[in-house]
Amino acid sequence: MTWNLGLALLCTVRRQAGLWGVPSCCARQYHFVSLEKSWTEAQSYCRENYTDLAVIESPEDNEQLLQTAVMNLLPNFGWIGLYRDKWSWQWSMGNISLYGPAGTNFTNWASTEPDNAGGKENCGTMSSTGFWADSPCSTARFFICYQDSGDPAESYFLINATKTFPEAQRYCREQHTDLACARNRSENEAVRLAARNNSVWIGLFNTPWKWSRPSNSTFHHWDQNQPDNSGGNENCAALALTGTTRGRWSDIGCTKKFPFFCFNDNRVVMKVTISLDKGLNPNDAAVSEFLLNQMRGLLSRHTGMNRTSLKWKEQKDGLVFLSEQEAQGQCDYIGNWTPV
């Protein structure tokens, strides 16, 4: 039986075999630009001369970035490609953007809201008067669930138990349909009445921090108490270059002038063949780890780098590899494993 594995996949199949990511040494080449520019100016410079402002997806990436900025005299910060998108609010039910083309563009924010006080107010509440505000998702409060029953009079339920936003969302999805949304004036009024003069969670949230070059990475390396949105207008991220917080990120006003980091997206694809004794299964933990170590060594030799950040990506069934018979006709893979 032939098994398939890859350092990169050319498409997605029913059960993928592959790596969580190619090694950072091969995926991106970082460049430190000592010119001092605003975040927007830095973004334009990187897009004109490289790929974009730096995207950081792992601790290894973060350290590699720092290594490019070795100088005798360094400023305190350097821009990276992370910014706060204040328009990213969406409804939990259906993941419909509040401001996007699929949304109704109805909003009922209270005056001065959302203000992102403290830099961590990423979930939405409704007051007893029906107005919305942003609040830290970790706050515990009552909430309104929505039940898709077809009868508006039996659609909204006040849950008078205090839960954080993620806990409330999970409860509503398990016991009802989802947290309540208010996509128009009538829905907003129905939720307000159901809340019975309580301040409650509704199904409004945002994921504000995004990369200039889109990335699905969830890696963050914020400094302590960051982001804090001090002054109410800190919408861009910079990396500390000196001192005890070196390598940590902070949110800063985008108009400040700093040097910055760009990257080139030079993705390397390698095709390999690995032979193992007959009867060995690559999905066995010991065999899988052996293969991964072999890959690390191979990449080190071919790229001249000693540090890699490879990791197998497990599927929902816990397996990593897909037999050639299962993959037939579905996708082109890079590399294969053949028992001999």
Side-chain angles (χ1 to χ4, degrees), residues 206-268:
N206 75 346
T207 49
W209 288 98
K210 297 181 179 180
W211 293 102
S212 177
R213 186 77 166 186
S215 169
N216 293 323
S217 173
T218 58
F219 172 74
H220 289 135
H221 200 53
W222 295 109
D223 195 6
Q224 187 177 9
N225 299 322
Q226 294 289 326
D228 62 358
N229 196 30
S230 177
N233 197 33
E234 295 191 332
N235 297 321
C236 294
L239 177 144
L241 301 176
T242 60
T244 58
T245 62
R246 182 176 181 270
R248 293 286 180 175
W249 309 349
S250 295
D251 60 338
I252 296 176
C254 303
T255 59
K256 290 186 178 295
K257 305 281 187 176
F258 293 129
F260 50 96
F261 296 90
C262 304
F263 80 96
N264 277 333
D265 196 0
N266 299 322
R267 196 167 292 274
V268 174

Side-chain angles (χ1 to χ4, degrees), residues 133-153:
D134 57 349
S135 179
C137 303
S138 57
T139 303
R141 63 177 76 241
F142 293 173
F143 53 99
I144 303 291
C145 291
Y146 171 78
Q147 180 68 48
D148 190 8
S149 62
D151 183 353

Side-chain angles (χ1 to χ4, degrees), residues 148-169:
D148 190 8
S149 62
D151 183 353
E154 299 179 0
S155 295
Y156 301 100
F157 299 88
L158 171 65
I159 310 300
N160 56 359
T162 57
K163 294 183 181 294
T164 66
F165 183 92
E167 291 170 345
Q169 182 188 56

Side-chain angles (χ1 to χ4, degrees), residues 66-329:
L66 288 169
Q67 296 305 316
T68 67
V70 177
M71 296 172 58
N72 291 330
L73 295 175
L74 282 173
N76 291 334
F77 292 100
W79 290 125
I80 57 176
L82 194 63
Y83 71 100
R84 188 172 75 88
D85 180 5
K86 62 182 180 180
W87 304 107
S88 64
W89 287 93
Q90 63 190 72
W91 292 110
S92 175
M93 187 166 59
N95 293 324
I96 298 174
S97 173
L98 187 62
Y99 302 103
T104 62
N105 288 321
F106 171 79
T107 65
N108 204 39
W109 294 109
S111 177
T112 73
E113 297 286 351
D115 61 357
N116 193 35
K120 298 179 177 67
E121 295 193 334
N122 298 321
C123 293
T125 66
M126 180 183 287
S127 71
S128 61
T129 57
F131 288 103
W132 309 346
D134 57 349
S135 179
C137 303
S138 57
T139 303
R141 63 177 76 241
F142 293 173
F143 53 99
I144 303 291
C145 291
Y146 171 78
Q147 180 68 48
D148 190 8
S149 62
D151 183 353
E154 299 179 0
S155 295
Y156 301 100
F157 299 88
L158 171 65
I159 310 300
N160 56 359
T162 57
K163 294 183 181 294
T164 66
F165 183 92
E167 291 170 345
Q169 182 188 56
R170 182 165 55 250
Y171 178 95
C172 289
R173 289 178 171 178
E174 291 174 351
Q175 304 297 325
H176 300 281
T177 301
D178 209 324
L179 276 165
C181 58
R183 296 163 295 186
N184 52 54
R185 185 68 61 186
S186 62
E187 287 185 353
N188 200 80
E189 180 63 8
V191 175
R192 186 190 70 81
L193 291 173
R196 300 174 190 170
N197 293 318
N198 291 291
S199 174
V200 294
W201 288 124
I202 56 175
L204 193 60
F205 73 99
N206 75 346
T207 49
W209 288 98
K210 297 181 179 180
W211 293 102
S212 177
R213 186 77 166 186
S215 169
N216 293 323
S217 173
T218 58
F219 172 74
H220 289 135
H221 200 53
W222 295 109
D223 195 6
Q224 187 177 9
N225 299 322
Q226 294 289 326
D228 62 358
N229 196 30
S230 177
N233 197 33
E234 295 191 332
N235 297 321
C236 294
L239 177 144
L241 301 176
T242 60
T244 58
T245 62
R246 182 176 181 270
R248 293 286 180 175
W249 309 349
S250 295
D251 60 338
I252 296 176
C254 303
T255 59
K256 290 186 178 295
K257 305 281 187 176
F258 293 129
F260 50 96
F261 296 90
C262 304
F263 80 96
N264 277 333
D265 196 0
N266 299 322
R267 196 167 292 274
V268 174
V269 175
M270 301 175 65
K271 184 173 182 178
V272 299
T273 299
I274 298 177
S275 297
L276 295 177
D277 291 338
K278 188 175 182 179
L280 291 178
N281 188 329
N283 284 309
D284 178 80
V287 178
S288 177
E289 182 63 23
F290 170 81
L291 289 174
L292 188 58
N293 287 331
Q294 293 297 305
M295 285 292 196
R296 288 168 175 156
L298 180 68
L299 285 169
S300 295
R301 290 193 296 274
H302 282 271
T303 63
M305 300 290 291
N306 293 323
R307 184 180 69 249
T308 60
S309 55
L310 298 181
K311 178 181 177 182
W312 295 127
K313 179 180 179 180
E314 290 187 359
Q315 304 309 303
K316 292 181 179 179
D317 56 10
L319 300 180
V320 171
F321 297 96
L322 172 70
S323 70
E324 189 175 60
Q325 288 89 329
E326 291 177 286
Q328 188 67 36

